[in-house]
Amino acid sequence: DSGVTQTPKHLITATGQRVTLRCSPRSGDLSVYWYQQSLDQGLQFLIQYYNGEERAKGNILERFSAQQFPDLHSELNLSSLELGDSALYFCASSVAVGQPQHFGDGTRLSIL
Amino acid sequence: EDQVTQSPEALRLQEGESSSLNCSYTVSGLRGLFWYRQDPGKGPEFLFTLYSAGEEKEKERLKATLTKKESFLHITAPKPEDSATYLCAVGGGDYKLSFGAGTTVTVRA
């Protein structure tokens, strides 16, 4: 158990809809990261927050947004969903930037 | 742009048959090279961090080494429970992690 909690585990929705994925980091970790994992792309970095502030952006679409709250949990919002957004979405946390990241077990998003 | 290439894509081993996985990388200012293990339906599990060429880390049957251009993950006398996908990632100057596609290891009893 990594200590990183992601909910929900599975999400099935339709094209055009909006969903919110939630992540609770390990106790004491200030950095939160979001990744997308699909069969053809592997693990792709989306965005990073540190203590509530956005620190780095990767290949995140404009339809996607995220935030980190004062209690350090984070949410990833995906809107105007397309079939190609079907993937596993992972959250990771670390005590500080540059330190090992510890991953949750992901949310599997299926778009019908 | 940071790049990570892992080989082979898949590795089938007999129990006790030692082997090595390769991770080649190009990065602007290496801040760390990370090895993870991922089981089906689970998130990546952290194994090792290597920071400079010549560094080695060991954990049970796994040993990771680092040079200026590549890293190796050696699996000594593997057991079926070592079957998993092993991921390599590099952290560059901006600390973002770039992952390789992984090597899927299957160990037969």
Side-chain angles (χ1 to χ4, degrees):
Chain A
D1 183 5
S2 69
V4 178
T5 304
Q6 288 189 249
T7 57
K9 291 190 185 302
H10 303 278
L11 202 48
I12 302 174
T13 188
T15 55
Q17 295 299 303
R18 172 189 169 95
V19 296
T20 298
L21 313 183
R22 182 187 168 101
C23 169
S24 294
R26 291 190 322 165
S27 177
D29 285 358
L30 298 179
S31 272
V32 169
Y33 312 78
W34 286 97
Y35 292 84
Q36 181 190 60
Q37 187 176 43
S38 57
L39 284 175
D40 57 344
Q41 293 283 339
L43 258 174
Q44 298 289 315
F45 168 74
L46 295 177
I47 197 164
Q48 177 208 350
Y49 283 83
Y50 178 80
N51 204 20
E53 293 189 5
E54 182 185 305
R55 279 297 178 94
K57 263 186 174 180
N59 301 319
I60 188 166
L61 300 172
E62 286 191 11
R63 300 183 285 110
F64 296 0
S65 65
Q67 54 184 325
Q68 186 180 27
F69 294 88
D71 67 353
L72 301 178
H73 91 271
S74 178
E75 292 181 356
L76 178 67
N77 300 296
L78 315 176
S79 62
S80 302
L81 288 168
E82 302 175 359
L83 293 176
D85 297 328
S86 295
L88 267 168
Y89 291 85
F90 287 105
C91 170
S93 72
S94 66
V95 64
V97 173
Q99 295 301 307
Q101 297 177 23
H102 298 271
F103 285 75
D105 282 339
T107 293
R108 181 174 295 280
L109 177 63
S110 299
I111 313 299
L112 302 180
Chain B
E1 186 175 318
D2 301 341
Q3 289 197 337
V4 180
T5 303
Q6 292 188 245
S7 61
E9 289 185 12
L11 192 58
R12 293 177 64 86
L13 301 172
Q14 199 66 34
E15 184 172 4
E17 178 188 1
S18 301
S19 189
S20 294
L21 284 56
N22 178 265
C23 170
S24 299
Y25 64 90
T26 55
V27 63
S28 300
L30 181 68
R31 300 291 187 182
L33 185 140
F34 303 84
W35 281 99
Y36 287 85
R37 167 195 171 122
Q38 186 173 24
D39 293 300
K42 297 285 190 178
E45 174 190 348
F46 171 71
L47 294 174
F48 304 109
T49 308
L50 301 167
Y51 290 105
S52 56
E55 190 174 356
E56 297 182 354
K57 293 272 180 75
E58 279 190 74
K59 179 180 180 180
E60 296 181 1
R61 294 176 293 282
L62 301 177
K63 178 179 176 180
T65 62
L66 181 65
T67 71
K68 287 187 178 179
K69 293 184 178 181
E70 57 191 351
S71 176
F72 293 93
L73 183 66
H74 308 277
I75 310 179
T76 302
K79 297 182 177 181
E81 53 262 42
D82 294 322
S83 298
T85 296
Y86 291 86
L87 299 168
C88 169
V90 293
D94 55 7
Y95 293 103
K96 289 188 285 187
L97 283 191
S98 297
F99 279 83
T103 295
T104 299
V105 175
T106 304
V107 182
R108 296 167 292 176

